[in-house]
Amino acid sequence: MKTLSICLRAILNFFTEILFGCSHSRLSRPFTLNDETYEVCLDCGKQIYYSAQEMRPLTPWEVRRMKAAQAGEVKVVPIAPSRPHLVPTSERESNLAA
Ligand SMILES: [Zn+2]
């Protein structure tokens, strides 16, 4: 009977995580890999990014910003041209240099 209740609890946890999401209550210690510091949820394996400087988990916004910076998406574009194909990038850069 004891085994059965453990099994039922595991099934219940499984569905709870599907329905409500994992609460990530059991986390590994923060570690750094490839210049990224994160904790790993021991229940679902999710990586939770962690700020080594501030010793706290990153907010979703900070994670997005970090990912964007890594992907090279954070570029300062003062004006988004409505028709970018009319102004070649090389031409704009030479104008800026001049
Ligand atoms: Zn989790």
Side-chain angles (χ1 to χ4, degrees):
M1 280 306 283
K2 195 179 180 187
T3 314
L4 182 66
S5 74
I6 290 171
C7 188
L8 282 174
R9 192 171 298 165
I11 293 171
L12 197 68
N13 284 345
F14 178 74
F15 282 108
T16 305
E17 287 183 13
I18 287 177
L19 290 174
F20 303 110
C22 178
S23 58
H24 314 311
S25 51
R26 297 197 303 143
L27 298 172
S28 74
R29 293 175 61 181
F31 58 92
T32 304
L33 200 68
N34 298 329
D35 293 332
E36 292 177 350
T37 302
Y38 48 84
E39 300 173 317
V40 173
C41 177
L42 298 176
D43 290 320
C44 71
K46 182 181 167 62
Q47 295 174 356
I48 295 157
Y49 287 96
Y50 195 86
S51 170
Q53 285 85 34
E54 299 178 48
M55 301 299 285
R56 60 167 178 80
L58 294 178
T59 64
W61 156 246
E62 287 170 323
V63 172
R64 259 207 309 276
R65 198 171 51 179
M66 181 187 72
K67 289 287 181 189
Q70 283 172 353
E73 290 171 8
V74 176
K75 291 173 185 166
V76 181
V77 180
I79 301 164
S82 56
R83 292 178 185 176
H85 59 275
L86 291 178
V87 184
T89 311
S90 57
E91 196 177 304
R92 270 188 294 160
E93 281 172 0
S94 63
N95 285 347
L96 283 174

